[in-house]
């Protein structure tokens, strides 16, 4: 069962423009969401998170938006840089069960100079 | 401060064999989770260990077992390997009841 979905396997943007990565979830028990970034030959690195009591969280160039009614979240990167090129995973968990994070399949972002 | 380390980096095994993968958590962390990442997929939760016991398990058969040692390091064992077990195995560490896991670089297992 795919409870977290990232429907775009890849995204290509020009340096300096905005990158928007999307994620949908089906389990209404999820109330904590995370984005991870993964470079080749490395493990995923935590990027930014948001809990369901918020609809936006910002950290530098990275902003995550949460739309609970639509069960949708997005990661905005502004401005995009070539070093942002990586695979981005969306993950979700329930606060009463933070042992079990569910991941999406990932979106490969390519930022062109 | 060493992050999460895993060994070996790569491993090739034959169908039916058994394999053991190892993980050392980030300094100060007491909880270790294991994930399987098949090609083109996101990580899938296998199980989590805390205080040397399995706290929770994902949808994986009993062929997958684990262990946590008093120093918080952990092993993942897979018996009777199948071709479908070929994947990147990721270890992540954290503090119990806190969100945010730190991942190791993974062990790439190939079953032939």
């Amino acid at each position: 069962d795919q409870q977290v979905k990232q429907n775009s396997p890849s995204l290509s943007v020009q340096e300096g423009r905005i990158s928007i990565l999307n994620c949908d979830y089906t389990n209404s028990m999820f109330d904590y969401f995370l984005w991870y970034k993964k470079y080749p030959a490395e493990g995923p690195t935590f990027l930014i998170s948001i809990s369901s009591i918020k609809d936006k969280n910002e950290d530098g160039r990275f902003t995550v938006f949460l739309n609970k009614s639509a069960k949708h979240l997005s990661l905005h990167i502004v401005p995009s840089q070539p070093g942002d090129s990586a695979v981005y995973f969306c993950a979700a968990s329930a606060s009463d069960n933070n042992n079990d994070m569910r991941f999406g399949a990932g979106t490969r972002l390519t930022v062109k100079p | 401060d060493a992050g999460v380390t895993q060994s070996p980096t790569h491993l090739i095994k034959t169908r039916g064999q058994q394999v053991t993968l190892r993980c050392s958590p980030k300094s100060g962390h007491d909880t270790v989770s294991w994930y399987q990442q098949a090609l083109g997929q996101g990580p899938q939760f296998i199980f989590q260990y805390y205080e040397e016991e399995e706290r929770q398990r994902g949808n994986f058969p009993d062929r997958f077992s684990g262990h946590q040692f008093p120093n918080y390091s952990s092993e993942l064992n897979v018996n009777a390997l199948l071709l479908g077990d070929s994947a990147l195995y990721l270890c992540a560490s954290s503090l119990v009841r806190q969100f945010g896991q730190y991942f190791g670089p993974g062990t790439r297992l190939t079953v032939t």
Side-chain angles (χ1 to χ4, degrees):
Chain A
D1 63 345
Q2 188 120 22
Q3 299 186 37
V4 178
K5 295 181 182 179
Q6 294 176 257
N7 292 320
S8 299
S10 63
L11 174 67
S12 181
V13 301
Q14 207 65 36
E15 180 179 7
R17 307 295 286 267
I18 184 172
S19 296
I20 300 177
L21 296 96
N22 294 302
C23 177
D24 297 291
Y25 61 96
T26 57
N27 189 340
S28 58
M29 298 300 292
F30 290 149
D31 57 3
Y32 197 79
F33 306 90
L34 308 93
W35 284 93
Y36 283 83
K37 176 179 178 180
K38 186 179 187 302
Y39 293 117
E42 294 183 13
T45 303
F46 170 74
L47 194 57
I48 192 169
S49 64
I50 188 168
S51 76
S52 60
I53 62 173
K54 291 185 168 184
D55 54 17
K56 176 182 174 182
N57 189 26
E58 196 170 353
D59 184 2
R61 296 186 297 114
F62 302 90
T63 302
V64 56
F65 295 92
L66 175 62
N67 182 334
K68 290 184 289 292
S69 60
K71 294 191 177 66
H72 176 84
L73 63 157
S74 60
L75 174 67
H76 292 210
I77 307 174
V78 183
S80 301
Q81 299 173 354
D84 296 329
S85 297
V87 177
Y88 289 79
F89 291 101
C90 168
S93 64
S95 57
D96 65 346
N97 187 15
N98 63 343
N99 301 339
D100 185 356
M101 271 201 303
R102 299 298 175 108
F103 283 80
T107 296
R108 181 177 299 279
L109 173 66
T110 302
V111 181
K112 298 179 178 178
Chain B
D1 175 24
V4 180
T5 60
Q6 292 185 243
S7 63
T9 306
H10 296 88
L11 204 50
I12 299 175
K13 289 286 188 179
T14 303
R15 191 172 47 184
Q17 285 188 315
Q18 179 264 345
V19 69
T20 298
L21 311 181
R22 295 177 176 82
C23 171
S24 291
K26 180 178 167 63
S27 177
H29 284 181
D30 56 10
T31 303
V32 173
S33 303
W34 286 93
Y35 293 81
Q36 180 194 67
Q37 186 182 3
L39 201 61
Q41 301 294 320
Q44 302 276 325
F45 176 72
I46 302 175
F47 43 53
Q48 184 181 83
Y49 276 83
Y50 171 67
E51 290 189 338
E52 302 178 47
E53 291 192 359
E54 184 182 291
R55 293 186 76 206
Q56 185 154 353
R57 189 181 187 90
N59 189 24
F60 279 81
D62 292 345
R63 297 187 298 109
F64 290 77
S65 63
H67 189 77
Q68 186 180 35
F69 299 93
N71 67 353
Y72 307 118
S73 67
S74 176
E75 288 182 350
L76 164 66
N77 301 293
V78 187
N79 294 323
L81 284 167
L82 303 174
L83 297 178
D85 295 332
S86 295
L88 179 68
Y89 288 84
L90 294 163
C91 169
S93 74
S94 59
L95 285 168
V96 67
R97 284 183 291 279
Q98 288 191 14
F99 288 103
Q101 298 182 348
Y102 290 77
F103 283 84
T107 293
R108 172 74 60 188
L109 173 65
T110 302
V111 182
T112 62

